[in-house]
Amino acid sequence: MKAPVPFGQFYPGDSPVHRLEPRAKMGLVAAYMVMLFTVDGFAGLAAATAVAALAVAVSSVPSRLVLRGIRAVSIILVFTLLAHGLRWNPATVTLLRVGPVALDAQGLVTGLFFVVRIVLLVVGTSLLTLTTSPVRLADGLERLMRPLEVLRFPAGEVAMMLTVALRFIPTTAEEAEKIVVAQVARGARFDTGGLLKRARAYVPVLVPLFVNLFRRADELATAMEARCYRGGAGRTRFTESRMTLADRAALLVGAALMIVVGVVL
Amino acid sequence: MSLALSSVRYTYAAGTAFATDALAGIDLAFEPGELALVLGATGSGKSTLLRVAAGLLTPLSGSVRIDGRSVDGPLAVVEPGVGLVFQSPEMQLFAETVEADVRFGPLNQGLTEDEAHHRATRALEAVGLGAGEFGSRSPFTLSGGEARRAAIAGVLAMDPGYLLLDEPTAGLDVEGREAVREIVAASRRRAGVVVVTHDAEEFLGSADRVILLSAGRVTFDGPADELVQSPERFAEAGLKAPEILRAQILARDAGLELTRLSLDPADAGLLIATARRGAR
Ligand SMILES: Nc1ncnc2c1ncn2[C@@H]1O[C@H](COP(=O)(O)OP(=O)(O)O)[C@@H](O)[C@H]1O
Ligand SMILES: [Mg+2]
């Protein structure tokens, strides 16, 4: 079924960003985050913005989709800005004053710095999930976690859990939507009454949703066992992704560059 | 008196790159007491048609009128009401007991507990799940066919003037399908019934009227027998003709001169036998 891509969901494509090996991509995103948290001025943020803009441009993912994640954190952004911008009584550069509360220009600038940092963080991580299919993402995570198996960490199982969970997110969302409409057809209302009444109105949606989920989980587990799934250790993938020389070079050069920029600026 | 759709268009995700035209100008009127069968291939817009007819989706253009009135929002709660049985309706069972689940709709309509209980008992009887035996069971312990019937009872209990069913027999065993066909046949006495399916085998024999839906348009609207006599229309709508008709078409292709086609096996056998005698 055709549906609009929700925020952060995979947007298929064949750009260099899509083709980059998942581990290399995660490494680059990690370095990008290090850069974001080590810069201490707007010059550094500008450099990070340039990096993000370049990556988005090369990925050919519509910027509308990349920016969609910002809406989800918009409340945090407003809060961040106000938390820095509002002062109780003394302020350095007062822009506006209502009683004892002042809007401080210097505070706003600091707030803006943090807001831009959060936006860039969201853009970077959105681009990672938009350009990497869930399966490749889980595969990448598994390989990154594999050294932990020495410490008896069940990397394979965790990766399988992630893959299955990711696989069922769209199905579950679709099912929830269907049940909501079905209960509306039986006269249920979700938009009237106080908070408690509204919360209770969702019981007829949540109960069947969870019952179906558990039932499906049970069936899936049985079906996997019937096909001889015995935990993740020693499992291989149908398509094993490999780091090519280009992936390694991109990771090394990109990460080094970003971290140096982050420390200097 | 009718549930009437005029020039109804519906597009999912309108105005985006993902826009899908599901209904491209539908004019239909359903009458009380009539069993109308809507046949269409997967993706032809059947489910969308029912959602629009039940007031759950607002058409992009055109209108839905119930007994001459146009109403905004779900038509389940207005008089005479439109009840919609979704595909796999057993998915929506949620209450602690079957009876409580069936009461959910009537209570939302504003009936008292007593009236709702009375309605639930009657509806459960109507679908063949005696309230005594099944009423106090958890809906999650029912078999597939029983759960389907309980879900249908939940809609019947709202006493709709028009009953819409989306693929009501899909995924059931032979017995379950038979039970649902009986419920549908019995409901037409109380309501106008619209059944939507891609399976021409199930309801063709009992429908008063058949509507073919293809890519969001009505390509045929008439008595079932008219459709039976021109079975090429099934293929044109991307559907499989019923096996019994295919057998007669093969007989025709083999040179037998059948005067007409029939859905009834005994009748069809007779037609073929007569044609063979004539051929000698
Ligand atoms: N929620 C939705 N979002 C986008 N497109 C949809 C949605 N539901 C259905 N469609 C599309 O609308 C068309 C008609 O769908 P539907 O009414 O479900 O058909 P049917 O029930 O006959 O299989 C199909 O092309 C389908 O892909
Ligand atoms: Mg459908």
Side-chain angles (χ1 to χ4, degrees), chain A residues 30-52:
Chain A
Y32 170 77
M33 286 180 181
V34 170
M35 167 163 72
L36 277 179
F37 283 99
T38 47
V39 296
D40 37 31
F42 280 98
L45 286 186
T49 309
V51 170

Side-chain angles (χ1 to χ4, degrees), chain A residues 74-256:
Chain A
S74 53
I75 293 178
I76 299 179
L77 296 183
V78 171
F79 182 78
T80 305
L81 198 59
L82 290 183
H84 286 96
L86 293 180
R87 291 284 154 89
W88 191 264
N89 281 328
T92 35
V93 192
T94 311
L95 293 178
L96 195 79
R97 179 175 284 280
V98 184
V101 182
L103 191 62
D104 179 49
Q106 209 173 323
L108 274 185
V109 171
T110 319
L112 192 68
F113 176 79
F114 286 108
V115 164
V116 173
R117 180 186 271 174
I118 296 173
V119 166
L120 286 174
L121 201 60
V122 171
V123 166
T125 45
S126 296
L127 193 63
L128 173 66
T129 51
L130 279 164
T131 57
T132 319
S133 78
V135 171
R136 288 193 49 172
L137 206 57
D139 184 24
L141 279 175
E142 178 182 355
R143 286 155 159 267
L144 283 178
M145 290 185 296
R146 204 169 276 170
L148 295 176
E149 275 178 351
V150 186
L151 307 170
R152 297 184 165 242
F153 179 80
E157 262 107 281
V158 170
M160 177 61 86
M161 263 163 52
L162 272 172
T163 313
V164 172
L166 287 166
R167 154 71 187 76
F168 278 105
I169 288 172
T171 320
T172 308
E174 208 172 281
E175 204 166 279
E177 194 262 349
K178 273 188 190 150
I179 298 173
V180 166
V181 183
Q183 306 300 24
V184 168
R186 292 210 280 165
R189 296 291 304 265
F190 297 101
D191 52 355
T192 55
L195 207 58
L196 193 66
K197 193 165 174 221
R198 281 192 203 194
R200 284 190 46 178
Y202 274 98
V203 168
V205 176
L206 294 177
V207 171
L209 193 63
F210 276 95
V211 168
N212 291 335
L213 265 180
F214 287 133
R215 198 172 277 174
R216 185 169 305 133
D218 202 38
E219 278 167 12
L220 184 65
T222 314
M224 281 167 74
E225 270 182 359
R227 292 191 286 166
C228 302
Y229 178 76
R230 297 273 179 278
R235 290 177 60 80
T236 55
R237 296 250 167 191
F238 183 53
T239 48
E240 294 273 338
S241 64
R242 276 182 213 299
M243 281 246 215
T244 62
L245 208 59
D247 289 317
R248 282 170 212 272
L251 176 59
L252 277 179
V253 175

Side-chain angles (χ1 to χ4, degrees), chain A residues 1-2, chain B residues 12 20 22 41-48:
Chain A
M1 188 164 54
K2 286 177 228 152
Chain B
Y12 286 99
T20 316
T42 304
S44 58
K46 305 181 299 291
S47 298
T48 310

